[in-house]
Amino acid sequence: MDLIGLIGTPHIPYSLIGALTLYPLLFGTLNSLPAVKRILPPKADTQKQYHLCNKMVASVHSTIMTCTGLYLLLTVDWTKNDISTYTTAITPFLVGLELGYLTQDTAFEFYQRAAFGVGSNLILFHHVSVILGSAYYLYALTIVNPGPYFIGMLSLMNMSTPVLHFRWILQSRGRTFVNSKLKRFIDTLLLVTYFWCRIFGNWWMGVAIGASMGMTWYEAPMYIGKKFTITTTIMFLMNVAWWLILAKQWVRSVNSFYFSNKSAKKLE
């Protein structure tokens, strides 16, 4: 079968093509809207504006992934359908959408480095890891089906992204937000959401798959194959590292806002 003939199949789902075309189009549209430009302070430079549009596209993608993942997990009767063998068109849709988004976002990351001289090696490594895992999944659909529960739970990892980017937007508007209780609330919401969807959710996925096969949670990931296990383990360790960074920032932020100010007032 030629490449054109693969389009629309589980190997090259329409969601992959859509993500590669519609997300860059959305980025360009947002970047041209005066209303979007007014979100940031007037002194914001081109790189900041670029970053804003990129984060807005990421938030749209994350919302679609989260809602579709929830739909998959909540609408299937898992007491009657095996979580490892049940087949649905939603799984290649989700993987294709994620692969397409990360591919175009990685291209944007390289462009940002070339145009503005800034970029994150950690984000780039994360993107490449997930791209390789997603590409292998689409290829492996002819060999083995890892199961929709696996893909649905991974999709929920996107849940914390809109909170993260909303915080960045508020922080970019100045010190009024930085020195507010609202920031501490959003920091706490991000810390909890990130832990729930990216760390606890990963563990729960192992529990659910293990329970269906009569094995422990840490044995279950091996059932989906070593290549999948390696990919998810890398993502899990990176998520733990990022959460620890968030936790350290949260402790420092709360301490400086609620305790350092009180100590200073007592000294006065």
Side-chain angles (χ1 to χ4, degrees):
M1 185 181 292
D2 59 14
L3 182 61
I4 300 299
L6 288 174
I7 296 177
T9 68
H11 296 296
I12 306 180
Y14 289 120
S15 59
L16 172 59
I17 307 300
L20 288 172
T21 54
L22 296 179
Y23 284 145
L25 180 63
L26 176 60
F27 177 91
T29 302
L30 291 171
N31 197 39
S32 65
L33 292 176
V36 174
K37 296 180 185 298
R38 288 195 293 269
I39 292 176
L40 296 177
K43 63 180 181 179
D45 57 17
T46 304
Q47 190 273 331
K48 203 95 168 182
Q49 185 67 31
Y50 173 95
H51 217 43
L52 169 64
C53 295
N54 198 35
K55 288 181 179 297
M56 293 177 75
V57 172
S59 297
V60 170
H61 167 73
S62 298
T63 302
I64 295 173
M65 289 292 294
T66 299
C67 293
T68 309
L70 281 172
Y71 174 82
L72 170 62
L73 293 171
L74 297 177
T75 57
V76 176
D77 186 351
W78 298 109
T79 62
K80 298 179 181 178
N81 297 286
D82 188 87
I83 64 177
S84 298
T85 59
Y86 177 70
T87 303
T88 171
I90 298 179
T91 51
F93 168 83
L94 285 169
V95 178
L97 194 67
E98 185 78 352
L99 175 58
Y101 166 75
L102 289 174
T103 300
Q104 61 88 40
D105 195 53
T106 300
F108 277 128
E109 179 71 19
F110 281 116
Y111 171 78
Q112 181 175 243
R113 290 166 180 260
F116 308 112
V118 296
S120 170
N121 291 330
L122 191 60
I123 291 176
L124 189 61
F125 179 73
H126 169 267
H127 280 21
V128 172
S129 298
V130 181
I131 285 172
L132 293 175
S134 300
Y136 179 79
Y137 176 86
L138 293 179
Y139 158 75
L141 281 176
T142 56
I143 304 172
V144 62
N145 176 25
Y149 201 89
F150 173 79
I151 299 301
M153 290 300 296
L154 289 180
S155 298
L156 294 190
M157 289 187 180
N158 288 275
M159 188 180 294
S160 61
T161 301
V163 182
L164 175 66
H165 293 335
F166 182 62
R167 184 185 70 161
W168 180 89
I169 292 173
L170 292 177
Q171 286 178 330
S172 300
R173 296 184 62 84
R175 298 194 61 81
T176 302
F177 170 72
V178 174
N179 297 322
S180 68
K181 290 183 179 180
L182 176 61
K183 182 182 186 304
R184 277 71 205 172
F185 171 76
I186 293 179
D187 284 349
T188 304
L189 178 64
L190 176 61
L191 192 71
V192 173
T193 305
Y194 196 100
F195 181 86
W196 185 87
C197 68
R198 291 179 180 262
I199 298 177
F200 174 80
N202 200 297
W203 170 79
W204 179 256
M205 178 174 63
V207 171
I209 294 176
S212 71
M213 299 183 296
M215 60 181 64
T216 59
W217 65 269
Y218 54 84
E219 294 174 315
M222 296 305 297
Y223 175 80
I224 59 177
K226 291 183 179 180
K227 292 184 177 64
F228 297 115
T229 302
I230 292 171
T231 303
T232 52
T233 300
I234 291 174
M235 285 195 299
F236 177 75
L237 293 176
M238 292 181 69
N239 286 330
V240 170
W242 269 322
W243 186 83
L244 290 174
I245 293 173
L246 287 175
K248 183 179 179 180
Q249 293 174 346
W250 179 84
V251 170
R252 186 181 302 165
S253 175
V254 170
N255 181 62
S256 64
F257 186 79
Y258 287 104
F259 301 105
S260 297
N261 290 341
K262 291 183 179 180
S263 298
K265 289 180 180 179
K266 287 181 180 180
L267 291 175
E268 291 175 359

